[in-house]
Amino acid sequence: MSRARVIPANEYVRTRWKNGQGWTREILRVPDQDNWDWRLSIAEIEQDAAFSSFPGIDRELILLQGNGVRLEFADGEPVELEPPHGRLRFAGEREVFGKLRDGTTHDFNLMWRREAVDAELLHRPLVGPMLFFVDADTTWVIHLLAGQAEFEADAGLPPLFAGDTAVLPAQAERRRFALQGGGELLAARITPVKPVGAADQ
């Protein structure tokens, strides 16, 4: 994944959950193999079901569509993901059961291998221009929740429509991407984990 690109929503790959109890539309995994470092998808929760277990993985879930879901963890903690965009960050090892409040939900799902990368997920309005900087250690992924947007011409990227995702991968030389338009987006910042004891540069 060496070049910036836009992934249209109609190109997401629909697959079964690891435990077979639901569906997901996979946006991207890096690297593109079973033993990925990070992964973006949209989970389709159509019935009350246990979530798949992902040892060694941290994850963040954000409600995109639907009337909400109640997450019931085996340790007794209940969490309500409520409209419009309830969210929760939790360890993939935690045993959790999802109960729908009233009908199917679609949920944005960012997962990352905690020994390999760190991830930060931002939810922002898009009003006018927004700048994203990539460098040797920084990858940005922008998922447009609503509205329309486009990058400056020098990016060489097509426009973004609601549901599309732009991937701005780390590059040896720092580069600026300017996004402008109107709407609402999720922006994930992915950085490698520094080895224990490594000094800041």
Side-chain angles (χ1 to χ4, degrees):
M1 192 183 67
S2 59
R3 63 181 181 82
R5 61 190 175 113
V6 168
I7 307 173
N10 62 8
E11 292 186 7
Y12 302 161
V13 179
R14 194 168 186 256
T15 59
R16 296 293 290 180
W17 289 4
K18 190 170 72 168
N19 67 8
Q21 296 191 36
W23 290 92
T24 192
R25 282 179 289 147
E26 185 175 86
I27 300 171
L28 178 70
R29 63 171 70 182
V30 178
D32 188 12
Q33 59 192 37
D34 290 341
N35 190 32
W36 39 263
D37 288 338
W38 57 275
R39 177 176 180 255
L40 290 174
S41 62
I42 297 174
E44 302 173 8
I45 306 178
E46 300 173 329
Q47 61 184 0
D48 296 351
F51 281 32
S52 301
S53 175
F54 287 93
I57 301 296
D58 284 332
R59 61 190 300 183
E60 188 156 359
L61 204 64
I62 298 183
L63 181 68
L64 296 181
Q65 298 178 27
N67 293 315
V69 59
R70 178 184 175 90
L71 303 181
E72 297 184 345
F73 289 91
D75 59 13
E77 180 188 11
V79 178
E80 300 279 354
L81 296 188
E82 299 180 339
H85 297 300
R87 63 192 292 177
L88 181 67
R89 184 177 176 126
F90 60 99
E93 298 90 350
R94 295 184 69 188
E95 185 179 340
V96 60
F97 190 88
K99 287 189 175 181
L100 295 169
R101 297 179 66 179
D102 182 18
T104 299
T105 67
H106 291 181
D107 304 85
F108 188 85
N109 191 26
L110 169 62
M111 296 191 286
W112 62 98
R113 194 171 307 281
R114 67 177 67 98
E115 292 183 355
V117 298
D118 286 324
E120 179 184 19
L121 186 58
L122 307 173
H123 178 199
R124 295 286 187 269
L126 177 62
V127 182
M130 185 177 289
L131 300 179
F132 298 91
F133 294 89
V134 300
D135 56 30
D137 290 330
T138 305
T139 290
W140 282 99
V141 183
I142 298 110
H143 179 79
L144 194 64
L145 294 172
Q148 296 184 18
E150 59 183 4
F151 290 94
E152 288 184 343
D154 63 354
L157 295 171
L160 279 170
F161 299 96
D164 294 347
T165 302
V167 186
L168 312 176
Q171 300 183 17
E173 294 186 4
R174 193 169 190 258
R175 183 178 176 187
R176 186 194 79 157
F177 289 86
L179 181 68
Q180 54 188 346
E184 190 176 6
L185 58 79
L186 297 173
R189 182 176 182 264
I190 312 294
T191 56
V193 170
K194 292 183 178 180
V196 175
D200 292 336
Q201 299 297 319

